[in-house]
């Protein structure tokens, strides 16, 4: 996990155990099921398979952050209006190949949770 001054709320390495196990609902979106190596957690995630193809058995780093700006502080003076391609970004998104922005749809807090 990240330190207190960071905007990173959670990070772990996940291994994909299944993709579209309940069937395919959308053309360009797949739903993966993955299991983490450090925190023994399960993850269900919808992603754009055309932009970032993934396969069963692949491992990836999943990071949940409160902001894309480094350190969580938004520097309005140096912030660029555009986000990739062609835009200059100085945020944590530069550290990763695939970035999604939005809200967490569902969070299940299991009774026997270890985290």
């Amino acid at each position: 996990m990240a330190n207190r001054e960071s905007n990173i709320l959670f990070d772990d390495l996940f291994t994909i155990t299944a993709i579209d196990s309940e069937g395919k609902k959308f053309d360009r979106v797949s739903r993966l099921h993955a299991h983490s190596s450090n925190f023994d957690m399960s993850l269900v995630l919808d992603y754009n398979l055309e932009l970032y193809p993934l396969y069963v058995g692949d491992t990836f780093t999943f990071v949940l952050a409160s902001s894309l700006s480094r350190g969580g502080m938004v520097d309005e003076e140096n912030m660029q209006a555009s986000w990739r391609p062609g835009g200059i970004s100085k945020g944590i998104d530069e550290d990763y190949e695939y970035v999604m922005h939005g809200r967490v749809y569902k969070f299940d807090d299991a009774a026997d949770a270890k985290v």
Side-chain angles (χ1 to χ4, degrees), residues 6-79:
S6 175
N7 59 332
I8 295 176
L9 306 172
F10 173 81
D11 65 341
D12 200 356
L13 185 66
F14 282 82
T15 301
I16 300 174
T17 57
I19 296 177
D20 293 326
S21 60
E22 298 99 23
K24 194 117 175 83
K25 297 192 178 14
F26 301 102
D27 291 336
R28 293 180 283 194
V29 177
S30 280
R31 177 167 287 171
L32 66 80
H33 294 258
H35 192 79
S36 74
S37 57
N38 295 321
F39 296 108
D40 194 28
M41 296 178 69
S42 294
L43 173 70
V44 177
L45 181 70
D46 294 334
Y47 69 100
N48 187 318
L49 70 116
E50 287 183 350
L51 294 177
Y52 202 74
L54 293 168
Y55 305 96
V56 173
D58 285 353
T59 58
F60 64 93
T61 301
F62 177 82
V63 177
L64 184 62
S66 59
S67 169
L68 289 178
S69 61
R70 295 197 186 272
M73 301 293 291
V74 176
D75 184 2
E76 299 288 338
E77 191 173 308
N78 294 322
M79 191 171 147

Side-chain angles (χ1 to χ4, degrees), residues 78-95:
N78 294 322
M79 191 171 147
Q80 298 293 321
S82 62
W83 179 85
R84 289 195 184 165
I88 298 171
S89 175
K90 297 179 182 176
I92 62 171
D93 54 308
E94 290 183 335
D95 299 337

